[in-house]
Amino acid sequence: MNNKYYILRHGESEANRLNLIISSPENGITNYGLTQKGRSQATEAGRRLHENGFDSRNTVIFSSDFKRAYETAQEAAAQIDIDMIYVTPALRERFFGIYEKQNASNYELVWALDKKGQTDHSTYVEPVSRIAERALSLITDCEKWFTGKNIILVSHGDILQITLTIAAGR
């Protein structure tokens, strides 16, 4: 690899506070941003990055186009003096189909199937394989576009966990 990759999950969002699944672009791109606690979390993450030598010369930030992730990227970027954030649907929240705007406890139903390597197509939940394709495609592109950079991927729990699992060879 030509670069080093780091992940940053968005801070606490309004959806987290309401215990809702928000995975559809029509709901997540313009709504359900960060809470004040989430903004503080993102600022703290950026401060830690700065303390560890991340800056505008050696760091590139990619963010999901969902409001909660982009606001996290903005807060973190401000701490390391980065003006440009690359926004991409490749890092978008996993689509949770029929569970959209439902209680977050429904995540467990999806994750139980994920652990078994199964997909229930009747729920319209985005399969793990599709998320893996999105993540790998972005990393492949980053390897073409950049050399010697710290690349921070600001996204959502599921896509980041799946990306880490792929990176671990599992």
Side-chain angles (χ1 to χ4, degrees):
M1 302 281 266
N2 297 319
N3 303 288
K4 293 182 181 177
Y5 293 86
Y6 300 87
I7 62 169
L8 177 59
R9 182 188 177 270
H10 65 79
E12 181 188 70
S13 71
E14 294 166 358
N16 296 139
R17 176 86 41 94
L18 295 169
N19 209 29
L20 288 177
I21 295 174
I22 300 297
S23 65
S24 171
E26 68 189 40
N27 296 317
I29 289 176
T30 58
N31 299 306
Y32 300 98
L34 293 179
T35 63
Q36 189 55 47
K37 178 180 178 182
R39 287 191 181 282
S40 296
Q41 291 169 331
T43 299
E44 176 63 15
R47 187 186 64 71
R48 288 183 183 175
L49 290 166
H50 178 70
E51 287 175 355
N52 285 289
F54 290 70
D55 62 34
S56 60
R57 295 170 309 201
N58 65 15
T59 305
V60 178
I61 299 178
F62 281 84
S63 175
S64 160
D65 56 356
F66 274 40
K67 187 173 183 178
R68 58 194 182 253
Y70 184 66
E71 288 178 348
T72 299
Q74 287 177 308
E75 295 291 331
Q79 299 300 309
I80 54 177
D81 199 28
I82 291 180
D83 296 326
M84 176 69 178
I85 298 169
Y86 296 90
V87 178
T88 175
L91 293 173
R92 183 177 282 170
E93 173 69 283
R94 179 183 193 179
F95 182 62
F96 281 92
I98 65 170
Y99 302 115
E100 180 70 9
K101 288 193 167 182
Q102 300 299 313
N103 189 282
S105 63
N106 287 299
Y107 285 130
E108 297 297 331
L109 301 172
V110 175
W111 296 337
L113 290 175
D114 288 350
K115 286 179 186 175
K116 296 176 185 176
Q118 299 174 346
T119 301
D120 179 356
H121 297 286
S122 69
T123 63
Y124 303 103
V125 173
E126 185 177 14
V128 170
S129 61
R130 177 65 188 117
I131 297 162
E133 286 174 20
R134 288 198 275 136
L136 288 174
S137 178
L138 176 61
I139 291 169
T140 299
D141 288 343
C142 286
E143 288 297 297
K144 293 175 192 170
W145 299 333
F146 304 102
T147 300
K149 297 291 186 183
N150 296 315
I151 298 178
I152 301 171
L153 306 176
V154 184
S155 190
H156 310 269
D158 267 43
I159 190 165
L160 295 175
Q161 289 176 342
I162 291 166
T163 303
L164 283 173
T165 301
I166 294 165
R170 297 163 116 202

